[in-house]
Amino acid sequence: MKGILAAGIILAPATANAQTTVYIPNIVELSGPGAVSGTNWRDGIILAIEEINAKGGILGRRIDTPHLDTQSDAGISRAQMQKVLDNNPYVVLGPVFSGSVLVDMALTQAAEVPEIVGGEAAAITQKGDPYVFRTSFGQQFSMPKIANYLRDGLKAKSVAILWVNNDFGKGGRDTFLSEMKTRNIQVVADISTEQGQADFSADVVKIKAANAEVIFVYTNEEESARFLKEAKKQGIKAPLIGETTLLSQKVIELAGDAANGVKGHVGLSADAPVPAVQEFAAKFKKKFGYANDHNGIKGYIAIYTIKHVTEKMGKFDKKLFVETLHGLTIKPEQEPGILMEATWDKNGDIDRASFLAEVVDGKQKIVEVLPKLGK
């Protein structure tokens, strides 16, 4: 951490080069339970910045992005955010953990600095903060899609839910229960787990006893992999359904054979049948030596969103940035780095096409493309 903090101090913009660089710091989980997500997010950002800087930067200014570790702790994240705000950033990136976003966003709102986050908790964009934007679906966008799949694709009448007891998990659980109620699908087990939990044997016993037709799993990556291994060990037969995290590349790698057969909705995927996404995934793997998950794409898109909006405005203006991005649609033919057409609404939520997927032989297979909700 000391090295990272030191790097942040060294890379903070000096007055002498303020007109040749644009300061866009990244506050993210590089250690602790969120390190898998945060590392992907950071590396997607690095890739985009190298591409843009190699072509002259944004409006002639190179992007200067130190990466500051939150250690997956909301209190440390808030402290890091306060430090970078003292250096007058143009836009702030991160964090990924929703709990950290929820404590940081009050600072960026007070400072009137745009913040592009990786958090997916519904509450983030329901607070009326005009300065916060997503590069992934909020739960209010993703849960209706997974609920429709349970009703129409699986014809489910009953479901058990396993969720992680943090802001991400609670927000997802509450939204999921609401969507189940509107579709008359009975929730026969509602089981909370802890962030970083290692042993899921008792939870699997409870789920088996509930005898649900479908099991919906909404936990962080490492916990998801541990649950899948225990579910396989105890012989769960009901379909295991997830939303993006459960089907992520990291979970597949960690869970091994236990991930086979998992199905669900993914907002972003390196396996999406979109040539631009697959080209990004190949570049990412060549540079960093591992396959990206959705967080890598989110980080990459965040930088290209900033580039496009700023070049559209023709100047660096924080308040105008906020006004311009609300209601804006960016298409790949306008900005190739956006990868897929995306629209931001008045709350900072993003809408775009997404996917239904299944894990087959250790790989994520896309089985259906779902249109934008706004279409």
Side-chain angles (χ1 to χ4, degrees), residues 224-226 228-229 232 246 248-262 359-363:
S224 293
R226 294 173 190 139
L228 291 177
K229 287 182 176 179
K232 179 179 175 63
L246 187 66
S248 75
Q249 182 61 39
K250 195 63 183 179
V251 173
I252 294 171
E253 292 174 3
L254 292 173
D257 291 346
N260 287 332
V262 167
V359 180
V360 179
D361 296 331
K363 296 181 180 178

Side-chain angles (χ1 to χ4, degrees), residues 116-348:
I116 300 180
V117 304
E120 299 180 3
I124 291 172
T125 50
Q126 293 175 339
K127 291 183 174 296
D129 180 349
Y131 291 89
V132 68
F133 297 90
R134 300 187 199 270
T135 54
S136 59
F137 288 140
Q139 292 156 341
Q140 64 272 49
F141 278 69
S142 59
M143 289 303 173
K145 292 191 175 187
I146 194 68
N148 287 341
Y149 176 57
L150 264 61
R151 181 192 62 190
D152 304 329
L154 300 178
K155 311 295 183 186
K157 300 296 183 185
S158 66
V159 61
I161 176 173
L162 179 90
W163 53 282
V164 59
N165 187 21
N166 58 18
D167 289 289
F168 163 73
K170 286 186 286 189
R173 176 257 187 190
D174 293 346
T175 309
F176 181 80
L177 293 184
S178 176
E179 297 296 332
M180 291 299 99
K181 186 176 181 180
T182 62
R183 290 164 180 78
N184 294 316
I185 299 175
Q186 184 180 8
V187 179
V188 295
D190 181 5
I191 301 171
S192 68
T193 64
E194 295 305 314
Q195 183 170 297
Q197 182 170 320
D199 184 358
F200 285 86
S201 56
D203 303 296
V204 172
V205 169
K206 292 178 184 176
I207 287 177
K208 290 182 70 174
N211 198 30
E213 293 178 35
V214 175
I215 299 164
F216 180 65
V217 183
Y218 201 67
T219 53
N220 298 317
E221 282 87 347
E222 292 188 7
E223 299 128 44
S224 293
R226 294 173 190 139
F227 169 79
L228 291 177
K229 287 182 176 179
E230 185 63 30
K232 179 179 175 63
K233 180 180 177 182
Q234 295 196 33
I236 280 187
K237 302 299 182 186
L240 298 172
I241 307 301
E243 203 294 309
T244 301
T245 302
L246 187 66
L247 292 91
S248 75
Q249 182 61 39
K250 195 63 183 179
V251 173
I252 294 171
E253 292 174 3
L254 292 173
D257 291 346
N260 287 332
V262 167
K263 300 178 181 178
H265 171 258
V266 293
L268 289 168
S269 169
D271 298 309
V274 178
V277 174
Q278 295 179 357
E279 290 171 13
F280 160 79
K283 288 189 295 186
F284 188 102
K285 190 169 186 178
K286 181 179 180 181
K287 179 172 180 59
F288 299 108
Y290 70 97
N292 70 280
D293 70 5
H294 61 291
N295 290 293
I297 305 175
K298 288 157 59 175
Y300 187 79
I301 289 173
I303 297 298
Y304 275 100
T305 300
I306 296 169
K307 173 182 178 290
H308 181 82
V309 172
T310 305
E311 291 178 345
K312 181 179 177 67
M313 299 186 304
K315 59 182 178 180
F316 294 90
D317 185 319
K318 299 172 190 176
K319 291 187 177 180
L320 184 57
F321 181 99
V322 170
E323 296 173 6
T324 303
L325 188 50
H326 283 134
L328 182 67
T329 294
I330 306 177
K331 299 180 179 180
E333 52 265 39
Q334 299 170 312
E335 181 56 72
I338 206 71
L339 304 182
M340 297 169 58
E341 179 180 315
T343 299
W344 282 264
D345 70 11
K346 60 182 175 61
N347 300 316

Side-chain angles (χ1 to χ4, degrees), residues 11-185:
L11 291 173
T15 302
N17 69 357
Q19 296 306 311
T20 60
T21 63
V22 54
Y23 181 52
I24 306 174
N26 179 31
I27 311 298
V28 70
E29 295 76 7
L30 298 178
S31 61
V36 171
S37 303
T39 302
N40 262 270
W41 166 268
R42 177 200 62 190
D43 290 346
I45 287 171
I46 289 173
L47 186 56
I49 289 175
E50 288 185 353
E51 291 175 356
I52 294 170
N53 281 345
K55 296 179 180 178
I58 301 175
L59 299 180
R61 292 168 64 172
R62 295 174 58 82
I63 303 169
D64 172 14
T65 298
H67 305 278
L68 285 78
D69 187 9
T70 70
Q71 302 179 45
S72 303
D73 181 279
I76 295 173
S77 180
R78 181 181 173 86
Q80 300 284 43
M81 182 64 75
Q82 187 59 65
K83 289 180 183 177
V84 300
L85 290 176
D86 291 342
N87 285 324
N88 190 30
Y90 174 51
V91 179
V92 175
L93 302 164
V96 174
F97 266 20
S98 295
S100 294
V101 174
L102 287 166
V103 300
D104 288 358
M105 56 191 284
L107 297 178
T108 51
Q109 183 179 13
E112 298 183 325
V113 173
E115 180 180 3
I116 300 180
V117 304
E120 299 180 3
I124 291 172
T125 50
Q126 293 175 339
K127 291 183 174 296
D129 180 349
Y131 291 89
V132 68
F133 297 90
R134 300 187 199 270
T135 54
S136 59
F137 288 140
Q139 292 156 341
Q140 64 272 49
F141 278 69
S142 59
M143 289 303 173
K145 292 191 175 187
I146 194 68
N148 287 341
Y149 176 57
L150 264 61
R151 181 192 62 190
D152 304 329
L154 300 178
K155 311 295 183 186
K157 300 296 183 185
S158 66
V159 61
I161 176 173
L162 179 90
W163 53 282
V164 59
N165 187 21
N166 58 18
D167 289 289
F168 163 73
K170 286 186 286 189
R173 176 257 187 190
D174 293 346
T175 309
F176 181 80
L177 293 184
S178 176
E179 297 296 332
M180 291 299 99
K181 186 176 181 180
T182 62
R183 290 164 180 78
N184 294 316
I185 299 175

